[in-house]
Structure formats: C-alpha cells, structure tokens
C-alpha cells in the first residue's frame, strides 16, 4: 500500500462491493440514497475534484507502464446518470488515454456473431482506460427482460434452451477471467437509481426544453418493466460478482455522490495496479548523455548550450518547478 490515500479510498468503497458468491436482492440490500462518510454535497464535490486529479496522475503512469489496461463497465436503468458520471469522472484525464464506447441495439453484422464478439472488439489496449457505456451485461439484462432479442441472435435452438442465462453468466465470468489474466482490470459499476428518482428525472426531461432531446417514448415503455429489470440486475449481481471482477453498487439518487463513488472505485483500481514510470536502463542513459552533448554542441553562437538546464537550476533554487 504505497499510496497513503489508498487506505481511505479502499475503506470508503468496501460497503459498495458485492461479495462474490452472495445472493443479492437489490431492493432489500442496496439503498439508492445511501451515503458514506461524505455527508454534504460541497464536501463531496471537493473530494471528487481530488479524485479526478488522482485519476489523471495514475492514468499517465498506466500509459507509461503499458502493461495493464482498465475496463470500466457502466450499467444502469435509464436516467441513472451514466453519461454525467463519465463526463465528470473523466474530466481531468488525457483524452488520448481513454476511449468510451456506447453499446446500442446490435447491428445485423453484430447479430451474425457470438454474443461477446462486439464487446471483444472494443476492449482497451494496454496502457488505456476503456469505458463501456452499457456493455456485455445487456446480453443478460435487456435480452433477458425482452427474450425476443435472443431470437434475433440467430443462435441454434440447442443454445437457446433452458439454462441459457446461467450459461451466459458462466461464459461472461470465464471471459472476464481470461481478460484479467491478460492484464486487464475490470471495474464494474451498477448505478442504482430508485424508481421515484427516475420518475422525477424523466419529468425534468419533459419540462426543460433543452433536456427534451434526452427523452424518448421508449424510456416510458422500459420503465413499465422496472421490476423485471430489478430482478435481472439482482441475478447479474449474484452470479457475476467474482473475486477477479467484483461488482460495485453505486447509490445513484444523488448525482454528486454517484460520481464521487464511481471515481473512488476507479482510482482504487489504479492504485492497486500501482503503475510506474519505466526506469531508464544504464545503456539508454548513456545514449541520453551522448545526445545531450551533441545538442549542446549545436548551440548557436552566443546561446547557452542548455537553456533548459539553466532554467531548471533556477527554478529549483526558487523552490518552484517550471518544467515548461
Ligand atoms: P441509450 O443508451 O439510451 O442510447 O439506448 C441504447 C439502447 O440499446 C437501450 O435501449 C438498450 O436496451 C439497447 N441495447 C443495448 N445493448 C443491447 C443488446 N445487446 N441487445 C438489445 N438491445 C440492446
Ligand atoms: Mg436511453
């Protein structure tokens, strides 16, 4: 535990983790309005700012080390705040190191392949953070709640028989295990919204003209399946929270808290990876010295051989670092 901030962050997210092997009843076990430690929005926003800074710092190291990737999986009911969470949590991160993918209704080409195919294509490379805005879990959520989706997948009849969901949980767990073995860390976040808060957020989308575009009639149709989704989510959390890729249930009724909690889980994962800037080998260091001598020799008449070194010496004597 090299980073002193690790203990505080790790402890704060423990109550959100779904214990592998536990049987989850979402409505009973997790409160969408739950808050831990941080009680006030102002303090929460300040903590999020710190989290965003940490994330940026660790992302740079993740890219430099180039051995591990991080996959963030976001699942939720409509209006739970997936997009806002991505926007806020990733606001300080170098865009080159992050890729967000939103998964919609599968295309004809995607339906022509096995159910994990399209997700495999979008995985982050080593050194990258990938975000799945909806994910392979839709294959056991929307597809389960509306089984006609399964018919569209053109699977042979024997693959669609009873037990298909249990089989998919196992296949997802195995796939994730394979990815973790290959250096990917998987952060699974379920934004847990209450039915009443969803109603209020939908009304907001109806009432505010510049939010109208976010509203679709399909959202109301899906809301009618609320209980089926709660059940499907409970099953997913019970069967796919594993030691190698556990689920975190993020209380989502307060947006500021959801963003803070999501940032904490992602930062915690990066701290656990503890990526380091590569140390330059002695041979490369002597090549650096040679290059430096050569560049110094190219100084125009009257110019300092290494103006940067002069600036560095100046700023370190001022106690200020100005590397630019
Ligand atoms: P949105 O995220 O609001 O843009 O909506 C995307 C839509 O795509 C949602 O209604 C999802 O239920 C749907 N969707 C995502 N993945 C799948 C899938 N694998 N099969 C069927 N529908 C899906
Ligand atoms: Mg939608």
């Amino acid at each position: 535990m090299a980073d002193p901030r690790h203990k505080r962050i790790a402890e704060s997210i423990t109550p959100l983790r779904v214990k592998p092997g536990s049987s989850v009843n979402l409505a009973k076990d997790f409160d969408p309005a739950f808050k831990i430690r941080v009680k006030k929005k102002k303090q929460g926003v300040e903590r999020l700012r710190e989290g965003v800074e940490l994330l940026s710092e660790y992302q740079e190291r993740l890219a430099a080390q180039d051995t591990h990737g991080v996959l963030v999986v976001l699942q939720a009911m409509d209006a739970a705040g997936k997009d806002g969470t991505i926007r806020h949590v990733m606001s300080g991160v170098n865009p080159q190191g992050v890729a967000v993918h939103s998964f919609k209704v599968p295309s004809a080409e995607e339906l022509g392949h096995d159910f994990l195919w399209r997700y495999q294509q979008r995985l982050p490379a080593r050194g990258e953070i990938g975000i799945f805005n909806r994910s392979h879990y839709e294959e056991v959520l929307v597809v389960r709640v509306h089984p006609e989706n399964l018919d569209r997948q053109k699977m042979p009849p024997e693959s669609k028989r009873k037990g298909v969901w249990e089989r998919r949980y196992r296949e997802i767990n195995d796939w994730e295990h394979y990815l973790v073995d290959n250096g990917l860390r998987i952060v699974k976040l379920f934004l847990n919204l209450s039915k009443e808060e969803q109603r209020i957020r939908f009304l907001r989308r109806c009432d505010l003209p510049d939010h109208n575009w976010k509203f679709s009639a399909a959202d109301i149709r899906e809301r009618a399946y609320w209980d089926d989704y709660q059940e499907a989510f409970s099953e997913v959390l019970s069967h796919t929270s594993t030691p190698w890729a556990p689920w975190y249930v993020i209380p989502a009724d307060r947006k500021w808290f959801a963003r803070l909690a999501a940032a904490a889980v992602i930062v915690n994962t990066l701290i656990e990876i503890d990526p380091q800037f590569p140390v330059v080998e002695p041979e490369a260091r002597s090549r650096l010295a040679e290059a430096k001598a050569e560049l110094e020799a190219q100084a125009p008449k009257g110019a300092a051989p290494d103006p940067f070194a002069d600036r560095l010496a100046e700023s370190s004597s001022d106690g200020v670092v100005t590397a630019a």
Side-chain angles (χ1 to χ4, degrees), residues 168-287:
R168 284 197 168 188
Y169 298 142
R170 176 175 55 72
E171 287 159 350
I172 288 173
N173 289 341
D174 288 348
W175 182 60
E176 290 180 350
H177 207 166
Y178 156 81
L179 297 174
V180 171
D181 283 346
N182 280 274
L184 203 68
R185 292 292 304 262
I186 307 175
V187 178
K188 300 191 298 202
L189 307 175
F190 167 58
L191 304 189
N192 188 24
L193 186 73
S194 68
K195 194 174 183 187
E196 175 56 8
E197 183 60 24
Q198 188 194 52
R199 189 177 75 89
I200 297 168
R201 291 188 190 176
F202 279 171
L203 282 169
R204 190 164 177 270
R205 290 177 179 187
C206 296
D207 293 342
L208 295 177
D210 58 351
H211 283 68
N212 288 168
W213 66 272
K214 284 192 185 178
F215 188 77
S216 98
D219 291 348
I220 291 288
R221 276 204 303 279
E222 282 313 277
R223 180 174 162 82
Y225 293 91
W226 181 274
D227 292 341
D228 294 344
Y229 273 108
Q230 292 297 104
E231 213 172 292
F233 271 116
S234 298
E235 289 278 300
V236 161
L237 296 170
S238 305
H239 288 98
T240 63
S241 198
T242 55
W244 54 92
W247 273 103
Y248 288 83
V249 177
I250 306 293
D253 273 7
R254 289 181 192 83
K255 287 181 181 174
W256 66 266
F257 186 79
R259 289 163 188 171
L260 175 63
V265 179
I266 302 170
V267 168
N268 186 63
T269 302
L270 283 159
I271 295 178
E272 276 175 7
I273 298 173
D274 195 22
Q276 304 293 327
F277 291 112
V279 179
V280 176
E281 299 295 327
E283 199 193 318
R285 208 167 314 138
S286 73
R287 274 204 302 276

Side-chain angles (χ1 to χ4, degrees), residues 78 82-83 102-106 111 115 118-119 133-139 142-143 146 149 152-153 214 216 218-219 222 229:
D78 286 317
K82 296 195 304 299
D83 299 272
S102 299
F103 292 98
K104 313 274 180 192
V105 176
L111 288 171
F115 82 96
R118 68 170 181 163
Y119 308 99
N133 183 351
R134 301 187 189 272
S135 68
H136 49 297
Y137 282 98
E138 291 295 341
E139 304 293 338
V142 68
V143 180
H146 300 288
N149 285 301
R152 284 193 208 108
Q153 296 189 347
K214 284 192 185 178
S216 98
D219 291 348
E222 282 313 277
Y229 273 108

Side-chain angles (χ1 to χ4, degrees), residues 150-151 153-161 167:
L150 201 58
D151 298 330
Q153 296 189 347
K154 299 193 275 185
M155 294 192 305
E158 64 273 20
S159 302
K160 286 197 295 193
R161 278 201 207 108
R167 210 185 58 232

